[in-house]
Each structure stands twice: as structure tokens, then as C-alpha cells.
Amino acid sequence: MTRRRLGLLGGTFDPVHVGHLALARSACVALRLDELRLMPTGAPWQKSGVVASPAQRLAMLRLAIAGETRLQADAREVERAGPTYTVDTLAEMRAELGPDVSLILILGSDQLRNLASWHRWRELLQHAHLACTQREQVPLADLPAPVEALVQSRGAQALPDAPAGSIVFFTMPPVPVSATALRQALARGERPAELVPPAVLDYIEAANLYGAGTGGSGHD
């Protein structure tokens, strides 16, 4: 029996844009995922300046992936009180899924480089595989020493037939999107249809999100 493969892509999605969707679709193909869950963070402890509320970010995400059968929105971190820690989410999902499902956490190169700052980061591979791809101009070479050591010890050429424990890499077409510049464009009253799905733009306009002075910062 083929082991089921379930991917997980977290982020603030403030707002969700074509870069997030390209990453999700590329991961589905490259990793042969049966399903990929996109999970907006509730209270991201490493990021400040998030503009839209958790409920709004979840609503925009659901609009963006409507009709894509392999992509699903997961609300658990939005509904969880307190800081959002990925290791807790993975442990919770593993308890729900059981020991046999292959759980794959999707990371961009920026997140991989920062991995050693994550809460209980060494426990992540107990619950899932890590699948990484280059994001924007952040290289995958010359990783911080603790992360490089982990890659050297747990890296694999391809996703193994196992529920967790390995680090693999995949490629995706470059989709340069700056979330900061996007929010600034929205604040100027622009409608960047090439960067944001139309249904999400309609939601942003109806909810009067990202008004002048709320551009924020960061790359998620």
C-alpha cells in the first residue's frame, strides 16, 4: 500500500499571494503530495506587524485556493491561544494522523537558514520530514553551522518511504513577490491582479484592509 503524503505550508499569509500559491503547487508536484494544508499562523512569535487578523488571513486563504482539490486551509493555529510553535502543530497533527502517514513540512530557504532559532527545532524531524526550496534571493548554500550539520546528517536525495525524519530539497520557478511592497501597493489603492487572486482582492477591498500606513514589513 502506498504511504499517504501530506504536506504542510505555514505562514502569515498577510495577504496570500501568487508566490505562496506557486510554492504550494510546486511542492505538490515535486513531492507527489496527496494533499497540502496551508496553515496561517495565529500569533507568530517571531514576527511583528501582521496587519490582517487571523480570521481575515484564513478567509483570504480559503478564497485563494477554492477549487484546488489538493490544497486545503487548516485553521488550527488560528484557533489556538498563545504563541504559535510549529513543533506543537506537528506533534498535534502526528497524533491525529497516526504513525504511518508521511508528513512533510514545506520550508523556504529563508526559514531553513533561521531554523536553529525555532522553538525546540531539533524535535521537528521526530514528527515530519522537511522539504526545502530556494525562496527569492535567499541562498541554500553556506547555511548556519547547526542547520548545515542537521542537513548533512538527515539529508536525502529524495523523499523516502517513511513517515518522518529526513530533509529533502526541491525546485520551483522563481516568483518574486515582496509582501511589503504588495501591502504598500494596496495602501495606495492599487489592484495588483498579477500578484493576488481576484477573489482575495475583492475581500481586501470590501474589508478595507491594508489602508495607508499599515504596510508592515517582512517577506511572508
Side-chain angles (χ1 to χ4, degrees):
M1 184 176 70
T2 303
R3 190 184 303 272
R4 181 168 172 245
R5 291 183 172 185
L6 192 153
L8 174 64
L9 176 60
T12 50
F13 303 113
D14 188 33
V16 59
H17 54 62
V18 294
H20 299 130
L21 300 176
L23 174 54
R25 293 164 185 153
S26 295
C28 282
V29 173
L31 304 169
R32 293 184 285 114
L33 301 179
D34 296 292
E35 179 185 341
L36 189 148
R37 297 185 187 178
L38 295 100
M39 184 176 296
T41 54
W45 66 281
Q46 285 196 329
K47 178 173 288 190
S48 59
V50 178
V51 178
S53 71
Q56 288 171 327
R57 290 183 284 113
L58 178 62
M60 287 188 284
L61 187 57
R62 285 174 169 159
L63 289 169
I65 63 174
E68 301 207 32
T69 56
R70 278 199 289 183
L71 304 183
Q72 301 293 327
D74 192 309
R76 76 184 66 225
E77 290 193 348
V78 166
E79 295 170 350
R80 181 187 302 151
T84 300
Y85 297 123
T86 300
V87 67
D88 294 334
T89 296
L90 293 179
E92 181 181 295
M93 293 185 71
R94 175 56 66 193
E96 292 176 6
L97 296 167
D100 296 327
V101 172
S102 183
L103 182 59
I104 304 107
L105 178 65
I106 312 301
L107 300 177
S109 49
D110 52 341
Q111 295 167 311
L112 181 65
R113 298 192 71 84
N114 196 39
L115 192 67
S117 71
W118 288 26
H119 183 63
R120 292 166 35 217
W121 66 285
R122 294 187 183 276
E123 299 177 29
L124 296 171
L125 289 172
Q126 296 177 19
H127 309 294
H129 301 292
L130 305 184
C132 312
T133 191
Q134 182 163 331
R135 185 172 180 192
E136 298 170 2
Q137 301 302 311
V138 182
L140 284 166
D142 301 319
L143 295 169
V147 178
E148 180 62 32
L150 188 68
V151 171
Q152 289 299 320
S153 65
R154 307 297 284 272
Q157 291 296 315
L159 196 64
D161 184 25
S166 295
I167 301 175
V168 297
F169 295 88
F170 68 98
T171 59
M172 64 171 287
V175 184
V177 184
S178 163
T180 301
L182 172 56
R183 288 189 290 265
Q184 290 170 347
L186 292 166
R188 293 192 297 269
E190 298 175 16
R191 188 179 167 91
E194 73 283 5
L195 299 179
V196 181
V200 177
L201 285 173
D202 291 343
Y203 180 94
I204 288 169
E205 291 174 359
N208 196 27
L209 282 172
Y210 309 109
T214 61
S217 63
H219 297 284
D220 250 317

